[in-house]
PDB file of all heavy atoms in Angstrom:
ATOM      1  N   ASP A 131     -29.430  39.365 -46.768  1.00 93.00           N
ATOM      2  CA  ASP A 131     -28.201  39.219 -45.991  1.00 93.00           C
ATOM      3  C   ASP A 131     -27.704  37.779 -46.018  1.00 93.00           C
ATOM      4  O   ASP A 131     -28.490  36.836 -46.004  1.00 93.00           O
ATOM      5  CB  ASP A 131     -28.434  39.630 -44.534  1.00 93.00           C
ATOM      6  CG  ASP A 131     -28.628  41.125 -44.369  1.00 93.00           C
ATOM      7  OD1 ASP A 131     -28.225  41.900 -45.263  1.00 93.00           O
ATOM      8  OD2 ASP A 131     -29.188  41.527 -43.331  1.00 93.00           O
ATOM      9  N   ASP A 153     -11.754  35.737 -57.088  1.00 97.00           N
ATOM     10  CA  ASP A 153     -12.634  36.618 -57.863  1.00 97.00           C
ATOM     11  C   ASP A 153     -13.768  35.828 -58.502  1.00 97.00           C
ATOM     12  O   ASP A 153     -13.798  34.601 -58.465  1.00 97.00           O
ATOM     13  CB  ASP A 153     -11.852  37.451 -58.884  1.00 97.00           C
ATOM     14  CG  ASP A 153     -11.290  36.637 -60.037  1.00 97.00           C
ATOM     15  OD1 ASP A 153     -11.885  35.606 -60.427  1.00 97.00           O
ATOM     16  OD2 ASP A 153     -10.261  37.054 -60.587  1.00 97.00           O
ATOM     17  N   LEU A 171     -32.729  27.747 -48.766  1.00 90.00           N
ATOM     18  CA  LEU A 171     -32.757  28.567 -47.559  1.00 90.00           C
ATOM     19  C   LEU A 171     -33.523  29.879 -47.739  1.00 90.00           C
ATOM     20  O   LEU A 171     -34.265  30.299 -46.865  1.00 90.00           O
ATOM     21  CB  LEU A 171     -31.316  28.855 -47.133  1.00 90.00           C
ATOM     22  CG  LEU A 171     -31.086  29.550 -45.810  1.00 90.00           C
ATOM     23  CD1 LEU A 171     -31.604  28.687 -44.667  1.00 90.00           C
ATOM     24  CD2 LEU A 171     -29.598  29.804 -45.619  1.00 90.00           C
ATOM     25  N   VAL A 187     -20.274  36.486 -54.646  1.00 98.00           N
ATOM     26  CA  VAL A 187     -19.575  35.466 -53.860  1.00 98.00           C
ATOM     27  C   VAL A 187     -18.098  35.829 -53.746  1.00 98.00           C
ATOM     28  O   VAL A 187     -17.497  35.725 -52.670  1.00 98.00           O
ATOM     29  CB  VAL A 187     -19.779  34.060 -54.463  1.00 98.00           C
ATOM     30  CG1 VAL A 187     -18.931  33.020 -53.739  1.00 98.00           C
ATOM     31  CG2 VAL A 187     -21.259  33.660 -54.410  1.00 98.00           C
ATOM     32  N   LYS A 207     -15.542  46.147 -46.173  1.00 89.00           N
ATOM     33  CA  LYS A 207     -16.553  46.400 -45.152  1.00 89.00           C
ATOM     34  C   LYS A 207     -17.052  45.117 -44.490  1.00 89.00           C
ATOM     35  O   LYS A 207     -16.954  44.956 -43.298  1.00 89.00           O
ATOM     36  CB  LYS A 207     -17.708  47.194 -45.763  1.00 89.00           C
ATOM     37  CG  LYS A 207     -18.713  47.614 -44.729  1.00 89.00           C
ATOM     38  CD  LYS A 207     -19.711  48.567 -45.323  1.00 89.00           C
ATOM     39  CE  LYS A 207     -20.838  48.725 -44.369  1.00 89.00           C
ATOM     40  NZ  LYS A 207     -21.118  49.945 -43.815  1.00 89.00           N
ATOM     41  N   ALA A 221     -10.185  29.352 -34.671  1.00 98.00           N
ATOM     42  CA  ALA A 221     -10.159  28.643 -33.389  1.00 98.00           C
ATOM     43  C   ALA A 221     -10.203  27.130 -33.579  1.00 98.00           C
ATOM     44  O   ALA A 221      -9.570  26.387 -32.825  1.00 98.00           O
ATOM     45  CB  ALA A 221     -11.321  29.095 -32.512  1.00 98.00           C
ATOM     46  N   MET A 226     -14.753  23.393 -38.323  1.00 98.00           N
ATOM     47  CA  MET A 226     -15.454  24.282 -39.239  1.00 98.00           C
ATOM     48  C   MET A 226     -15.409  23.754 -40.673  1.00 98.00           C
ATOM     49  O   MET A 226     -16.385  23.885 -41.415  1.00 98.00           O
ATOM     50  CB  MET A 226     -14.881  25.695 -39.151  1.00 98.00           C
ATOM     51  CG  MET A 226     -15.149  26.372 -37.813  1.00 98.00           C
ATOM     52  SD  MET A 226     -16.909  26.455 -37.350  1.00 98.00           S
ATOM     53  CE  MET A 226     -17.504  27.623 -38.575  1.00 98.00           C
ATOM     54  N   ILE A 233     -22.750  21.102 -44.627  1.00 97.00           N
ATOM     55  CA  ILE A 233     -23.686  22.054 -45.245  1.00 97.00           C
ATOM     56  C   ILE A 233     -23.749  21.815 -46.742  1.00 97.00           C
ATOM     57  O   ILE A 233     -24.824  21.740 -47.334  1.00 97.00           O
ATOM     58  CB  ILE A 233     -23.261  23.510 -44.942  1.00 97.00           C
ATOM     59  CG1 ILE A 233     -23.396  23.799 -43.439  1.00 97.00           C
ATOM     60  CG2 ILE A 233     -24.088  24.499 -45.769  1.00 97.00           C
ATOM     61  CD1 ILE A 233     -22.661  25.056 -42.987  1.00 97.00           C
TER      62      ILE A 233
END
Side-chain angles (χ1 to χ4, degrees):
D131 289 340
D153 70 30
L171 187 63
V187 174
K207 186 171 168 118
M226 293 304 291
I233 294 164

